[in-house]
């Protein structure tokens, strides 16, 4: 069995690399949003033309990023959404909602400080974790039936 896993959410740390490293020997294909913040923000205006209004600049970028995100979530078997400590990640909550609406297996990752704020998102998830290692262990168990010893 091959798993297609989409790694959504926070882009300011190396959590994706940790998950991928923890699954190096497994049959897993990973995808993710564009994690270059400037490229993600500026893609619409760069490709479709500059805007004088920040609203339209952001609107164009959000729509182009949505093409990638919708495709990746739709193709995923499992969606992992990470909520970081520093920023409010509305896009991560939106990705989690899309994954839940599509019936995708959802793993949510965040620290204990976000437990109350994310209670509805957590309720839609099949697992709520605090670390990339736990995500890798869940994927390993899903593919092999092996639990950590």
């Amino acid at each position: 069995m091959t798993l297609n896993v989409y790694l959504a959410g926070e882009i300011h740390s190396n959590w994706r690399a940790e998950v991928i490293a923890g699954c190096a020997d497994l049959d897993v294909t990973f995808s993710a949003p564009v994690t270059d913040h400037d490229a993600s923000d500026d893609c619409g205006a760069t490709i479709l033309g500059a805007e004088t209004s920040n609203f339209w600049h952001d609107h164009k970028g959000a729509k182009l990023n949505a093409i990638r995100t919708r495709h990746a979530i739709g193709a995923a078997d499992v969606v992992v959404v990470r909520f970081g400590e520093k920023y409010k990640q509305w896009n991560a909550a939106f990705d989690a909602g899309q994954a839940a609406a599509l019936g995708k297996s959802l793993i949510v990752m965040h620290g204990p400080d976000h437990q109350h704020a994310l209670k509805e998102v957590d309720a839609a998830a099949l697992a709520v974790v605090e670390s990339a290692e736990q995500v890798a262990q869940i994927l390993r168990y899903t593919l092999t039936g092996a639990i950590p010893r």
Side-chain angles (χ1 to χ4, degrees):
M1 171 173 39
T2 300
L3 281 181
N4 186 0
V5 178
Y6 183 65
L7 302 174
E10 183 261 314
I11 64 169
H12 302 283
S13 70
N14 68 343
W15 73 272
R16 286 179 181 82
E18 293 173 8
V19 171
I20 293 167
C23 297
D25 62 329
L26 298 175
D27 192 7
V28 181
T29 301
F30 291 98
S31 59
V34 173
T35 58
D36 176 326
H37 200 170
D38 290 337
S40 176
D41 283 351
D42 297 338
C43 64
T46 300
I47 295 169
L48 301 174
E51 292 291 342
T52 57
S53 163
N54 286 341
F55 174 84
W56 292 112
H57 178 97
D58 290 346
H59 188 74
K60 283 181 174 180
K63 286 184 172 241
L64 293 191
N65 286 315
I67 295 169
R68 180 186 182 102
T69 302
R70 285 182 189 177
H71 172 74
I73 290 174
D77 300 305
V78 178
V79 176
V80 179
V81 181
R82 160 96 171 121
F83 292 87
E85 302 304 319
K86 188 173 179 183
Y87 299 100
K88 293 183 184 348
Q89 288 124 29
W90 311 118
N91 59 321
F94 190 81
D95 291 349
Q98 273 192 303
L102 292 171
K104 301 297 178 174
S105 295
L106 177 62
I107 301 170
V108 173
M109 180 174 26
H110 61 75
D113 290 348
H114 291 327
Q115 180 275 321
H116 180 74
L118 293 172
K119 64 186 178 292
E120 285 83 4
V121 174
D122 290 351
L126 297 180
V128 179
V129 302
E130 292 186 18
S131 72
E133 179 183 22
Q134 290 174 306
V135 172
Q137 289 172 346
I138 290 169
L139 297 175
R140 180 172 305 282
Y141 176 75
T142 300
L143 285 170
T144 69
I147 58 173
R149 302 278 180 202

